[in-house]
Each structure stands twice: as structure tokens, then as C-alpha cells.
Amino acid sequence: MTPGGAGVVPQHPDPADVLARHLRARATEFLRALRLHRSAATPEDSAEAARALRRAARRIGAALYTFQPVLDPAWSQTLGPELAWVSGTLSQEDACATRLTRLLEALHRFSGPAAPTAPSAGTRPAPRTPGAPAPADGAPPDAPRPAAPVSGAPAPARAARATGAPPATARSTPTATVTATVPAPGDRRAEDEPGAVVGRLRAEDVTRTPGQGRDGTSRTAGGRAPLAVGAAKAGALLERQLTLARTRAHSAALQALGSARFHAVADQVAVLASEVPLTKAAGGVDLRPPADTARERLVAAVAALPLVTAGSPYNAEALVHGLSPDPAPHPQDAPWHQVRLLLRLHRYAEEVLDPAAGDDPRLRAAGEALDRHRDAAEAAAAAAQAARTPRIAPATAYALGVLHAGQRHEVEAARYAFQRAWQKPPAGTP
């Protein structure tokens, strides 16, 4: 070496060693996440460890698929599908929880802003007209008074005999509306008087809204507006179905993690953490051609998408094609889901060559848009499936239909966001 480092030829790492280091690092992450999952003390820790397992399994499987010419074909073709099984099994529980949260929040948004509640009796005294005579008992106007004793005489007549004043006549206000659910103390009727209960129920029907108690307060938490009857029943139906699906997914994940099949996968990943089975001709092989092949597959799949239509906001393309009586997923969503998978393979391939390349803002924004597309499409399918439940009320079916249409609009918005992100120049382009 010359003084000052002049004339030193830079040493480029062997591509096979780059791939081997990447696979060993991902295998170590897989084993660490598995150890954290087994020692998790809370459900939150267990869920986070399962996400780490899925991330490591996806990256290992993507590397085995993309750089298969450099790896032992028998080994890579055997381990790749098993890692896809692990990732898919562990993702179901989280997907059900995300879907339920998304649908319930959409139902609350559809319910509108919080409606003003009628003042309850005793919370705010009615204003007294200046110059009006004070009550005969001398008590303040806003003081509570005991209810009149039950007798056969009407309440106004009893009040007149007690005070010596003539009974008050009923005031007729044709344009007035009922604003209180409890009559004034001086106008109480006996429970057995004809029209007493009917009049009180009519007042409550006018002033109370769905989800509001008899005291005028909302029964919903968090200050949200009370849902309509159909939306509330739709939310209960979705919560029951998706909670059941989440419980089954959780049981399936626990059963899979304890199975002999998963133990075999964990053993192969443990071997991968120490030794990567490369082919004999792997030394000096360029990794750029396999990565370019992954990028070309992505570009070809994106070219087949209707990006011109998706580039127009509010085009209703996703909504119109989503209104199908077929319970199977609509084929219009399948190309977008395929692009999402190919984009992930492209990003993971770039991470092998350059760890910083996988964090390209353009690719990250496009991937997030396709993730929202997938979540909205699956949520719309869940709403449609719930609407096919036998013997549900028409109001519930209507609320589920509105929810389905809203999620299909979210699908459309995600396609528009992907089109905007994909049209941006790649990172580093002048």
C-alpha cells in the first residue's frame, strides 16, 4: 500500500457473500422473534413477535425466490413455500383485527356529528318570566317539589283547591315542539288518568334519539354520535363475525407454531443462520440480473393496470365493478394484489443489493397505497358477506350496503394514490 492510500484498488465484495450475509441476518431475526414469541408475557408482546416472524419469513422467502439461480434449487424450492405458509398463517389474526377496526370506524363516520341532546329534568332550571307571581309555597322556582298524591281528581283541580286560585287553562301553540321529556310539576297527571302515559311516551319519542337514554344523555362512549339502529346492528353483526374469525385465526396460529411442520421450518432457518447452501458456480455471479428480472415483472404488471382511469379521482370504477352478487372476490382487484406482491419482491431484492435502496420514498408510498387497497377490498368483502346473513333487518342490510360502498370508494382512492406515487421519478433521477 502506498502512503496515503494512493493506488489502492477498491475491493468489491463477492455477490455471493452479500447474499449469504443478508440471508444469515434475516434468519437470525427469525430465530430472535421466535424466542420472543415463546417468552412473551402479554398479548401485545406476542403480537409484536408474530409480526417480526412474518417480516423475517417474507424477506427470506423473497430472497430465495428472486436469487434462486445462486442457491441450491432443491433446498430453496422446499423452504420457500414453507416460509410462505408461516407468514400467511400468522397474518390472519392481525388481518381480522385490522378489518374489524376499519369497519367500525367507518360506521361511526357515517353516523355523522354528535347530535345535541335535550336538557334533562333538573339539570338547568327554566327561565322565569319577569313579573310572574312566585309559587304559593314560597319555594324558589327551581327547587324540587314532591309529586302530587294520587287521587281521582285531576292535578290542576287539586292545585286550585290547595291554593284557592282558578285552574290554569291549556295554552295552544300550534307551531311549538316538545322540548322536555318530563312535564312541569304543576301539570303532572295521575298514573291512572287517561292519556298520562301516552302523552309522556310521545314526548320521549320526539326528544330522544337512538342511543340516548331517558335522562337525555348519549349511551355511546367517547363523545361519538349515537348510531342509527341499522348501523348499530350492523356493527354488532360485524363484530360478532370478525371476532369469531379472529379467534379461529388465533387458534390456527397457535396450532401451527406448535406443529412438527413449523419445527422443521425453524430447524432449516437455524441451519441457514450459520450456513447458506449456495451452488458451486455461485462465486463471482452477478446479482443484478435476477434483481432486474424482478423489476421487469413489476413494470409489466403495472403496465397492465388501468392507470389512466385510476388517475381520475372519483371515477367510481372500483365501486361499479364491486357491486356484484358473486360472493367470490371480484377479479378486478386481483391484478392490483399481484402488483402489490411484485412490488414487495422488487423492494426486497433491492435491499439485498443495497440496504438503503429498499427505503426508496417512491416505492414506499406506492407500497403503502397498495396496502390500503388490499385492506379496503377485504373490508368491503367482509361487509358484503355480512349483508348475506339470512333474516337480517332491512335497516341492517342498508347500513352494510352503505359501508360496502364506502370501502369500495376507499379502494378507488388507494388506486389513485398508487398512480400518483408511481408516476413520480425514481430516487436519484435528476
Side-chain angles (χ1 to χ4, degrees):
M1 179 181 294
T2 59
V8 175
V9 179
Q11 297 292 330
H12 296 284
D14 186 22
D17 292 340
V18 173
L19 178 60
R21 285 199 301 270
H22 176 81
L23 288 175
R24 284 196 296 267
R26 302 291 84 76
T28 303
E29 292 178 1
F30 184 93
L31 297 176
R32 185 184 302 114
L34 179 59
R35 184 171 60 254
L36 292 176
H37 187 275
R38 290 175 176 174
S39 61
T42 62
E44 291 76 12
D45 296 340
S46 178
E48 186 61 32
R51 295 188 190 98
L53 271 174
R54 288 163 45 199
R55 285 194 297 266
R58 286 197 307 262
R59 281 169 168 78
I60 296 174
L64 297 181
Y65 178 81
T66 303
F67 302 101
Q68 186 175 353
V70 188
L71 302 169
D72 182 13
W75 174 81
S76 60
Q77 292 175 5
T78 302
L79 182 57
E82 293 300 297
L83 291 172
W85 166 72
V86 171
S87 177
T89 303
L90 296 180
S91 65
Q92 294 303 315
E93 181 182 1
D94 197 16
C96 291
T98 303
R99 200 172 306 147
L100 177 59
T101 302
R102 183 185 187 92
L103 291 173
L104 293 182
E105 288 180 352
L107 280 175
H108 282 288
R109 287 197 304 268
F110 292 154
S111 65
T117 57
S120 58
T123 58
R124 180 179 297 178
R128 184 185 174 198
T129 305
D137 54 2
D142 55 346
R145 293 177 175 81
V150 178
S151 63
R158 292 196 303 271
R161 288 196 300 268
T163 59
T169 57
R171 299 178 180 86
S172 59
T173 54
T175 59
T177 57
V178 180
T179 58
T181 59
V182 181
D187 293 336
R188 289 187 181 273
R189 297 181 180 180
E191 295 294 335
D192 56 348
E193 183 179 353
V197 178
V198 176
R200 184 163 60 254
L201 291 178
R202 286 176 180 172
E204 293 174 355
D205 292 340
V206 171
T207 56
R208 281 168 49 199
T209 57
Q212 183 178 345
R214 291 182 178 273
D215 57 350
T217 60
S218 175
R219 287 197 296 261
T220 56
R224 293 186 181 273
L227 295 177
V229 176
K233 291 184 177 180
L237 177 61
L238 289 169
E239 187 170 5
R240 183 167 62 251
Q241 292 183 351
L242 292 178
T243 301
L244 177 61
R246 181 183 180 182
T247 303
R248 290 175 176 173
H250 180 74
S251 301
L254 293 180
Q255 184 178 2
L257 291 176
S259 64
R261 181 180 180 182
F262 179 78
H263 288 166
V265 175
D267 291 340
Q268 295 186 56
V269 174
V271 173
L272 179 63
S274 58
E275 181 183 359
V276 178
L278 301 172
T279 60
K280 295 181 180 180
V285 175
D286 190 7
L287 299 181
R288 174 53 61 182
D292 290 341
T293 302
R295 180 182 57 82
E296 292 170 359
R297 286 196 299 262
L298 171 62
V299 173
V302 172
L305 295 177
L307 291 184
V308 176
T309 303
S312 301
Y314 307 105
N315 55 73
E317 185 76 10
L319 176 61
V320 172
H321 289 279
L323 300 177
S324 173
D326 189 4
H330 200 277
Q332 188 202 34
D333 297 333
W336 295 88
H337 296 333
Q338 181 66 17
V339 168
R340 174 178 169 272
L341 297 178
L342 294 176
L343 177 61
R344 177 179 291 175
L345 289 176
H346 171 56
R347 287 180 53 207
Y348 293 167
E350 294 297 324
E351 286 182 359
V352 175
L353 302 180
D354 183 7
D359 200 26
D360 186 358
R362 170 175 170 266
L363 297 180
R364 185 173 63 251
E368 291 174 354
L370 291 178
D371 288 342
R372 293 195 303 270
H373 178 276
R374 188 270 316 268
D375 294 342
E378 292 181 351
Q385 182 65 28
R388 297 186 182 96
T389 304
R391 298 183 299 276
I392 61 175
T396 306
Y398 175 77
L400 290 171
V402 173
L403 183 61
H404 174 268
Q407 293 305 305
R408 294 307 300 181
H409 279 300
E410 293 288 339
V411 169
E412 174 190 321
R415 294 177 182 177
Y416 176 76
F418 171 79
Q419 189 269 349
R420 295 291 299 272
W422 185 258
Q423 297 298 332
K424 293 181 179 178
T429 302

